[in-house]
Amino acid sequence: MELIFWLSLTLIAYSYAVYPLLLLIVSGIQQALRDTRYLWRRRERRSEEAKVWPNVSIIIAAYNEEQCLQQRIDNLLQLSYPKEKLTIHIGSDGSSDATARILMAVQASHFRAHVFEQNRGKINVLNDLVALTDDSILVMSDANTHFETDAIENLVKHFDSPEVGAVCGELHLVDSESADNKDGIYWRYEQMLKFHESRIGALLGANGAIYAIAKPFYQPLPSNTIVDDFMIVMNVSKQGKQVVYEPNAVAYEEVAPSLQDEEQRRVRIGTGNYQAFTRCLWALNPLRGARCFAYISHKVLRWFTPHCMLVALLSNLLLAAQPAYAGFLLIQLLAYGLAIWGKRKSSRGESLPGSLAFLTFFVSMNLALMKGFYSFLFKNVQGTWQRTSR
């Protein structure tokens, strides 16, 4: 029982603390080797004058997005990417509000509106829209996202290399009222991991708000797929192509207005994560090298952290007769009690101090993951969606 207790805690600590340190070390070594090779080769600088931009299609599936859709369309029409090289495809997935009317009213020559009468789920719309374009690069995004004007250029410049199959941009979270950047510690931590995983050729998934893939590597997904962004890019990685992180390709998105809204979103994402796990068993192959290392350390262990937390609590209860383990149990119960208190304060709109906010977020996130696991096991998983506040 002691072994089970310490093993569960070790797996949590490894994924959240040890793995990032290992990643930073490996990333630093690889970057130093690259810099050394660059100096020895004395490569000439490439002329930007000879740059030929590829044809790009922006692909967005929208469901009941009347509140933000017009602003999104305006944002896309103002991008600096050459208009003759860009086509914008937005599909309404059986929306019951004004989404379809807004799309049909757009007059831009490089804009394509697609109205699907039946609500079939996001991935079905993406599959259909991708099949309609012949452009070599697909930029995937969401209806509630806002791109910097040069986001497309920063994404597609990496496709000069035939080894690159997908590029992940950087998403900044902002407050809807103040427009301030609200990227929390955890979000910045995740962005740091993506950056260094990209350096060692181990970046696997992407954020659905802003990423691009070479069309030949797009594989249509089953209609009940939930985390489409992760699976689309995982399939690119499965085909042996590199996935690159580009921090200068910037997008913005509003944060969820409350912890409850964020939890609802994370329950669904959690359900999709366990679905993705069963479809990506190939990534557990050690022969995949750095990709396997990152997948297990960053993804799989995170998805099963709530299970480790539960095992740690139950095994600690059975060991509580020993004074030392009674102390560990007291610490666990105190932490969970503070998280419950923090969640109640948050639900009333009260602000939380930094440490309590992080603890509340961490526990709530893993509770949502556990709910997602239950949903995956015992409910009929569907790809259709319900719009959330974020």
Side-chain angles (χ1 to χ4, degrees):
M1 193 56 61
E2 288 182 277
L3 177 62
I4 292 174
F5 172 75
W6 287 110
L7 179 60
S8 59
L9 291 184
T10 298
L11 291 176
I12 297 172
Y14 169 77
S15 181
Y16 281 93
V18 178
Y19 166 66
L21 292 177
L22 292 176
L23 179 62
L24 289 173
I25 293 170
V26 175
S27 171
I29 293 173
Q30 291 212 2
Q31 187 61 35
L33 292 174
R34 287 194 194 97
D35 292 343
T36 302
R37 287 196 296 268
Y38 179 83
L39 291 174
W40 278 101
R41 289 177 183 174
R42 297 179 180 178
R43 296 185 299 185
E44 296 181 357
R45 294 181 179 178
R46 297 176 58 188
S47 173
E48 290 297 326
E49 296 179 0
K51 181 67 180 178
V52 178
W53 295 108
N55 291 325
V56 173
S57 280
I58 298 177
I59 307 292
I60 295 176
Y63 174 67
N64 287 355
E65 298 286 359
E66 64 178 6
Q67 294 181 355
C68 61
L69 186 57
Q70 187 59 58
Q71 293 92 326
R72 179 56 167 149
I73 293 170
D74 294 340
N75 168 242
L76 294 174
L77 295 178
Q78 293 168 8
L79 296 176
S80 59
Y81 199 80
K83 300 295 186 292
E84 68 276 9
K85 296 282 187 176
L86 182 66
T87 306
I88 302 167
H89 295 270
I90 301 183
S92 171
D93 183 28
S95 299
S96 57
D97 63 359
T99 294
R101 293 197 299 275
I102 294 171
L103 292 179
M104 297 304 295
V106 181
Q107 299 297 318
S109 60
H110 61 299
F111 183 88
R112 305 287 183 272
H114 307 270
V115 177
F116 302 97
E117 298 298 332
Q118 182 182 358
N119 177 228
R120 300 171 297 148
K122 181 180 179 181
I123 189 57
N124 295 288
V125 175
L126 296 182
N127 287 339
D128 287 351
L129 296 182
V130 169
L132 292 172
T133 178
D134 295 323
D135 293 335
S136 59
I137 305 297
L138 308 174
V139 173
M140 320 296 279
S141 187
D142 295 324
N144 63 332
T145 305
H146 183 96
F147 279 179
E148 288 279 12
T149 56
D150 61 351
I152 306 298
E153 292 95 318
N154 285 315
L155 285 173
V156 305
K157 67 183 181 182
H158 293 279
F159 292 100
D160 286 350
S161 170
E163 298 302 313
V164 173
V167 181
C168 174
E170 179 162 310
L171 177 64
H172 292 174
L173 301 179
V174 297
D175 182 81
S176 59
E177 295 183 359
S178 66
D180 289 337
N181 190 333
K182 294 297 182 183
D183 292 355
I185 295 175
Y186 183 81
W187 188 255
R188 295 195 295 272
Y189 166 78
E190 284 294 306
Q191 290 174 325
M192 179 272 292
L193 293 182
K194 285 187 174 70
F195 177 82
H196 290 285
E197 286 171 346
S198 175
R199 270 189 173 185
I200 68 172
L203 183 60
L204 299 169
N207 189 298
I210 178 167
Y211 69 102
I213 74 166
K215 189 188 176 184
F217 305 114
Y218 182 90
Q219 295 182 346
L221 294 172
S223 60
N224 68 338
T225 301
I226 297 177
V227 285
D228 51 272
D229 49 355
F230 180 75
M231 287 302 305
I232 287 171
V233 178
M234 281 293 283
N235 283 340
V236 173
S237 181
K238 185 178 182 181
Q239 296 172 74
K241 294 299 177 180
Q242 292 181 13
V243 180
V244 177
Y245 183 67
E246 175 50 70
N248 291 317
V250 177
Y252 300 91
E253 191 173 285
E254 292 182 3
V255 296
S258 70
L259 192 62
Q260 288 70 31
D261 292 310
E262 181 67 12
E263 182 178 351
Q264 178 185 354
R265 191 181 70 89
R266 287 191 173 275
V267 169
R268 181 167 176 79
I269 292 176
T271 303
N273 288 340
Y274 298 110
Q275 180 192 69
F277 176 74
T278 62
R279 296 179 180 179
C280 296
L281 297 178
W282 59 268
L284 299 174
N285 184 351
L287 297 179
R288 295 279 178 173
R291 287 171 175 158
C292 175
F293 166 63
Y295 180 62
I296 293 175
S297 302
H298 186 184
K299 297 297 183 181
V300 176
L301 290 181
R302 295 285 185 86
W303 296 340
F304 289 96
T305 289
H307 304 75
C308 290
M309 292 169 67
L310 181 60
V311 169
L313 180 61
L314 295 178
S315 59
N316 201 171
L317 283 170
L318 296 175
L319 294 167
Q322 303 178 42
Y325 287 100
F328 287 127
L329 179 60
L330 180 61
I331 293 173
Q332 287 198 70
L333 294 176
L334 178 61
Y336 290 129
L338 286 172
I340 294 172
W341 179 61
K343 187 174 181 180
R344 288 178 177 173
K345 284 176 65 69
S346 176
S347 65
R348 295 194 296 265
E350 300 178 33
S351 59
L352 304 176
S355 56
L356 179 59
F358 182 81
L359 176 64
T360 303
F361 171 79
F362 181 81
V363 173
S364 297
M365 176 183 66
N366 282 286
L367 178 60
L369 267 176
M370 186 61 84
K371 290 179 180 178
F373 182 69
Y374 175 85
S375 176
F376 171 70
L377 287 181
F378 300 109
K379 296 184 179 180
N380 184 21
V381 178
Q382 299 293 328
T384 51
W385 46 5
Q386 292 296 323
R387 192 181 187 281
T388 58
S389 296
R390 175 179 165 189

